[in-house]
């Protein structure tokens, strides 16, 4: 079965940055699932996967603009430690370089700690992979028809997909 709109794709991927080596390899766990044609992956990746079938492999390099966007200047902020999700319930040993979730007026977002103060943190609100040229090595594991429920929800259900 070929990959096209409203089919669920099970896949493994290896994510690396040119010149900087491996960042993530999904083979440590189960394959991931996505519903094709519903913005589950970066658009360039979905385009490259059209017409592929189980067992095929593709390698796609994405410019920052096609992935997590360019790094923004002015994304450095000083925040209260109390804005970190979960910080009220347990003592967190903050360290530069660690990724934390913070509550903002636009919901939760992931930031990287750059400096630790007594009651505040300096954080970088850029996505950790912003500004990087990324290479995805994707192996299609299986392709199946989506259920009506999956199409209505706009995402794949089951292990490796959306759980709710
Ligand atoms: Zn759903």
């Amino acid at each position: 079965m070929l990959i096209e709109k409203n089919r669920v794709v099970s896949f493994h991927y290896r994510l690396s940055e040119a010149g900087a080596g491996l960042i993530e390899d999904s083979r440590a766990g189960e394959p991931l699932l996505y519903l094709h044609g519903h913005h589950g992956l970066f658009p360039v990746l979905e385009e490259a996967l059209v017409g592929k079938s189980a067992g095929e492999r593709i390698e796609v390099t994405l410019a920052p603009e096609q992935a997590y966007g360019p790094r923004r200047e002015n994304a450095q902020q000083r925040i209260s430690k109390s804005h970190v999700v979960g910080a009220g319930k347990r003592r967190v040993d903050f360290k530069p370089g660690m990724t934390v979730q913070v509550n903002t007026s636009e919901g939760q977002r992931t930031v990287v700690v750059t400096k630790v103060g007594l009651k505040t943190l300096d954080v970088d609100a850029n996505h950790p992979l912003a500004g990087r040229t990324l290479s995805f090595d994707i192996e299609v594991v299986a392709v199946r028809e989506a259920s009506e429920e999956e199409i209505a929800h706009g995402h794949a259900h089951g292990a490796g997909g959306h759980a709710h």
Side-chain angles (χ1 to χ4, degrees):
M1 186 175 287
L2 305 181
I3 296 176
E4 61 178 61
K5 190 172 166 84
N6 294 335
R7 286 186 173 158
V8 172
V9 181
S10 158
F11 68 102
H12 270 302
Y13 72 96
R14 211 175 262 137
L15 169 60
S16 52
E17 182 184 10
L22 187 69
I23 298 170
E24 268 172 44
D25 188 344
S26 71
R27 285 173 184 76
E30 294 297 306
L32 282 88
L33 294 184
Y34 84 96
L35 176 60
H36 191 86
H38 292 259
H39 311 290
L41 300 182
F42 293 122
V44 176
L45 290 182
E46 288 206 20
E47 269 166 43
L49 283 161
V50 172
K52 301 289 186 256
S53 56
E56 286 194 78
R57 252 176 122 143
I58 60 161
E59 206 174 321
V60 187
T61 299
L62 276 70
E65 294 71 25
Q66 297 171 319
Y68 293 97
R71 280 190 71 81
R72 289 172 290 113
E73 302 301 326
N74 309 324
Q76 322 295 322
Q77 290 166 27
R78 179 159 293 176
I79 61 162
S80 165
K81 284 182 183 174
S82 64
H83 289 156
V84 175
V85 176
K89 298 182 195 101
R90 62 199 159 81
R91 199 177 160 279
V92 183
D93 193 11
F94 294 108
K95 286 193 176 70
M98 77 188 276
T99 300
V100 296
Q101 294 277 111
V102 295
N103 289 313
T104 74
S105 52
E106 293 146 35
Q108 292 190 359
R109 55 182 303 165
T110 303
V111 299
V112 178
V113 176
T114 54
K115 197 177 161 195
V116 181
L118 200 58
K119 291 189 172 167
T120 61
L121 298 174
D122 288 2
V123 300
D124 184 336
N126 280 303
H127 187 280
L129 295 176
R132 304 216 219 167
T133 296
L134 301 172
S135 172
F136 285 86
D137 174 354
I138 297 179
E139 183 187 351
V140 180
V141 175
V143 183
R144 65 164 168 83
E145 296 288 357
S147 68
E148 281 178 28
E149 192 186 41
E150 287 175 316
I151 293 168
H153 287 197
H155 53 232
H157 292 160
H162 207 274
H164 58 88

